[in-house]
Amino acid sequence: MNHSELAAYLRSRRDRIRPAEVGLPTGPRRRVPGLRREEVAQLAGLSADYYTELERGRGTQPSAQVLAALARALRLDGDERDHLFHLADRLVPTEAHGPTAHVQPALLSLLDRLSTTPAQIMTDLHVILAQNPLAIALLGHVSTTRGQGAGFIHRWFTDPGARTLYPAQDHDHHSRVFVADLHAVAARRGRDPEVNRLVSALRRRSQEFASLWETRDVALRRADHKRIVHPALGVIEVDCHSLFSEDGRQRLLWFTAPPGSNGAARLEMLSVIGTQDMTTGAGHTQPTGTSRMTP
C-alpha cells in the first residue's frame, strides 16, 4: 500500500469539490478551496480521526467498502475509483450492485441536484450507496455493515432494531412490500447467486419472510407512502418516489410531502436541525454508522 500517494490523491480529490456540489453550506470563514476533512468523513460515513490519518499517510489499510464510500463522497469517476483501489492495494470490485458498487453517474448527478428534499441511491437489494445531507438527517448515516447485513431487507427480517424507523402498525405493510419487491428483482436477475443466497438466508432465519415468500406476490416498488419515526420530530408522513438506472440495479429514492401538510412542515424543520440530536437538549451530532436508514 502506497500511504503517501494515497494521502496525496485523497487531498487532491477533496480540494476540487465545492461544498455546494454535495449539498453542504458554504461559510464565509472557509480556509480550504474544497471540502474539509471532516466533511469528507461525514459524507463517507467515517470518523473524522480515521480519515485524517489516511490523509496524513498513516493508519491501516482501508477496506474495499471504505474505499467505495470515499469514492462516492469524493465523486470519483470509474477510472479515478479504480486508481484509489490500486493505491490502497485492494482489488478493484467487479460487482455492479454490492456495497462496493460504483454509483451510476446519472443517478449521482441527479442526487447532487436534490438539495431541498431527502434523497439517496441504493441497489436493487436495498444497500444504500449514497445519501444527501437531508437523507442523513431523516434516516441516519449509511450503515457500515458488510455482507448480506448491508442490505436493509436482510436487517428488516433479522434485526428488530431496524423496524424502529416505522410505526409498529405499519410493519406488516412494509414486510409485504419488501418481499414483493425482492420477488421482482429475483425474476429480473434470473438465477443470480447473490439473490439466491439472500432468499435462502431469510427463509431460514425468518418465518415471516418464508410465509410471505410463498405467496409469490410480485411488485417492483416504484412509489409508496410512509410514516417515518424521527427521534426529535416524531412521525413524519412522506411520499416516496423512485427513479431506476437503465439496468435496474440501482435506484434513486427521494422523499416529499404535499405543500402545506404536516409532513412538509416537519421536513422543513428537518432542514434546520440537520443531523443534530435534539432529544438530549445538547445538540449533539448523530454518530456515523448508525442503523437508522431505510430504502
Side-chain angles (χ1 to χ4, degrees), residues 181-198:
D181 186 79
L182 183 56
H183 254 301
V185 172
R188 179 181 52 77
R189 284 211 202 177
R191 297 181 178 179
D192 184 277
E194 184 184 20
V195 176
N196 291 340
R197 286 193 299 269
L198 176 60

Side-chain angles (χ1 to χ4, degrees), residues 96 164 169 212 273 277:
T164 60
Q169 54 267 43
L212 289 172
I273 68 173
D277 182 1

Side-chain angles (χ1 to χ4, degrees), residues 70-104:
L70 286 172
R72 292 190 286 269
L74 294 169
R75 301 303 193 254
L76 305 187
D77 62 26
D79 291 336
E80 291 171 329
R81 194 279 302 257
D82 291 354
H83 184 61
L84 179 66
F85 273 76
H86 291 315
L87 290 176
D89 198 23
R90 292 286 186 187
L91 292 177
V92 177
T94 57
E95 57 189 30
H97 45 269
T100 58
H102 194 55
V103 182
Q104 301 260 353

Side-chain angles (χ1 to χ4, degrees), residues 207-218:
Q207 181 58 50
E208 179 191 21
F209 177 87
S211 298
L212 289 172
W213 189 256
E214 290 304 316
T215 67
R216 291 176 170 78
D217 290 339
V218 179

